[in-house]
Amino acid sequence: MKSKYKFFLFLSILIWFLGISFEYIVHNYPSLVTFLPVIKKCFSLVCHQQSNKLIKIDEINLLVCSRCTGIYFGCLVMSFISLFIKKMIEPKLKYFLISLLIILIDALLISIKLYEYSKSIAFFTGFLFGSVLFLYFYKSLINLFKELKIKNI
Amino acid sequence: MRKYISSFVCGFSAGVLQIVPIIKNFTCCLIVPAASYIALTLDRKARNIVDKVSMKQSFMIGLMTGIYASIFGSLFDILITFITKTNDVVVAFPELQRMVNNFPVDNEIKRNIINLFQNIRNDILEYGFSWLYSISVIINNFFINSIFGIIGGLISGQIINSRFNNSSG
């Protein structure tokens, strides 16, 4: 994939990630407070936003739960790595299934109250899953470009 | 329409999951992508496709699932708000007021923001409908669900193809 496409992908994920940190940004740039309720509502579509599951930075909440934050952060890190690597790892189905299984096991153990919800575990499981998801997404984009016959990708 | 019937069914389900109270608490960023995966699998089964799925097809199924999810999600959101005369904006209004008041911005800006949301809240409490709220919900849903639908469709296509590779190899 051409560097400019990789950079665009990284930038898009970074913008999305800045979106989930919008409350934190507003604390540094208070004039943006007008957009906060709209952005918050926007992210409510993709996350339950339960207050006890949100990550806090300096007592300021991110707009999505720990697991979702982990997923997006995993995608962000992998997209950043992809900027410097010519050929990314070929995604294998077992990686995807394992990372999904870890999330499901964590959710199951919490729901049967074997242990309490842990933000760090949720973030880490999300991070693993997000990283694998990015590999699939990256590969699918390459294949899509190939099908669309875009040369020199 | 018939071409994207699986997207219609899965988009409808995703729209319901995103909006119905209680079920909504289980909503996650994986709902629409998962709906795209199921739509793609159903489409392949319905058309007896055993070969690799094309990424263009995955893209379109994902996009259509996202669009249907946003249509039904918006429809149910507006409908439930109309029937119950309450929603997230009404419930979260006191918190919003407190939050805005805590920010170090001009009182005029604070007043404008609070007035804007106060108007929306009053419209919803009185009539069960607010133009501004409805338009923002429709735009939000279309934007977010279409993107997540496309991502889900593409990833699903790749997953199905890698499974195909594994079984043939």
Side-chain angles (χ1 to χ4, degrees):
Chain A
M1 194 188 279
K2 260 187 174 180
S3 300
K4 64 177 179 184
Y5 293 127
K6 287 181 186 179
F7 186 71
F8 178 74
L9 194 58
F10 169 71
L11 201 65
S12 307
I13 298 171
L14 183 66
I15 290 170
W16 182 261
F17 203 79
L18 288 177
I20 68 171
S21 332
F22 197 72
E23 201 170 326
Y24 191 78
I25 294 170
V26 167
H27 271 80
N28 294 306
Y29 302 95
S31 57
L32 294 173
V33 70
T34 317
F35 303 105
L36 183 58
V38 181
I39 303 274
K40 203 169 181 177
K41 173 76 183 161
C42 204
F43 281 102
S44 73
L45 262 182
V46 291
C47 183
H48 49 72
Q49 296 180 322
Q50 287 173 24
S51 53
N52 60 325
K53 294 180 179 175
L54 301 178
I55 290 181
K56 274 186 180 180
I57 303 170
D58 292 342
E59 292 303 305
I60 301 163
N61 286 325
L62 295 182
L63 297 184
V64 293
C65 71
S66 309
R67 205 179 310 276
C68 290
T69 308
I71 293 174
Y72 301 138
F73 191 62
C75 290
L76 184 71
V77 169
M78 290 308 282
S79 67
F80 182 72
I81 292 171
S82 78
L83 293 175
F84 307 101
I85 294 177
K86 208 164 188 182
K87 197 170 185 289
M88 289 289 278
I89 310 160
E90 195 77 16
K92 285 184 182 169
L93 192 61
K94 66 178 174 187
Y95 299 150
F96 174 80
L97 292 176
I98 290 169
S99 61
L100 182 63
L101 199 67
I102 291 171
I103 287 188
L104 291 176
I105 289 170
D106 182 42
L108 183 76
L109 294 181
I110 292 164
S111 62
I112 61 168
K113 293 185 172 138
L114 202 71
Y115 59 80
E116 288 286 304
Y117 179 87
S118 155
K119 289 180 186 177
S120 355
I121 295 175
F123 178 85
F124 182 69
T125 56
F127 180 83
L128 274 181
F129 188 64
S131 311
V132 178
L133 271 190
F134 179 81
L135 291 177
Y136 272 97
F137 183 56
Y138 186 83
K139 183 73 183 166
S140 70
L141 278 180
I142 291 175
N143 289 337
L144 178 70
F145 287 149
K146 270 183 194 163
E147 279 180 26
L148 294 173
K149 292 180 181 161
I150 294 176
K151 304 286 181 196
N152 303 321
I153 55 163
Chain B
M1 172 70 191
R2 276 187 65 190
K3 199 176 170 187
Y4 295 110
I5 192 78
S6 60
S7 297
F8 181 84
V9 173
C10 295
F12 174 83
S13 313
V16 171
L17 286 173
Q18 278 187 331
I19 225 66
V20 174
I22 301 171
I23 300 175
K24 197 180 170 184
N25 291 340
F26 300 105
T27 303
C28 175
C29 50
L30 299 176
I31 294 281
V32 176
S36 299
Y37 176 79
I38 297 168
L40 196 59
T41 310
L42 287 178
D43 183 65
R44 282 167 60 79
K45 285 205 169 155
R47 296 197 290 149
N48 282 327
I49 299 172
V50 285
D51 291 337
K52 277 186 173 182
V53 61
S54 83
M55 283 300 135
K56 272 194 274 186
Q57 175 70 0
S58 310
F59 180 94
M60 282 312 295
I61 294 269
L63 175 65
M64 292 310 290
T65 307
I67 289 175
Y68 282 127
S70 58
I71 291 171
F72 287 112
S74 309
L75 199 72
F76 288 133
D77 193 339
I78 294 167
L79 195 68
I80 289 171
T81 303
F82 184 71
I83 294 167
T84 59
K85 288 191 167 53
T86 184
N87 65 12
D88 297 351
V89 175
V90 175
V91 174
F93 185 73
E95 192 199 335
L96 176 83
Q97 259 181 321
R98 208 170 32 247
M99 190 176 73
V100 171
N101 283 327
N102 285 339
F103 279 106
V105 283
D106 285 352
N107 283 336
E108 174 127 14
I109 296 175
K110 283 181 190 174
R111 211 169 31 249
N112 285 342
I113 297 167
I114 290 170
N115 280 346
L116 179 75
F117 281 88
Q118 180 105 53
N119 289 338
I120 294 174
R121 179 179 175 268
N122 291 345
D123 281 347
I124 289 168
L125 286 174
E126 200 172 342
Y127 312 109
F129 182 81
S130 156
W131 276 108
L132 200 60
Y133 174 77
S134 304
I135 291 168
S136 73
V137 161
I138 291 168
I139 293 172
N140 265 354
N141 282 5
F142 266 92
F143 181 68
I144 302 278
N145 284 343
S146 301
I147 291 176
F148 274 72
I150 290 170
I151 293 172
L154 287 173
I155 292 174
S156 306
Q158 196 59 43
I159 289 169
I160 288 170
N161 287 347
S162 68
R163 197 171 55 185
F164 185 85
N165 287 343
N166 285 352
S167 61
S168 66

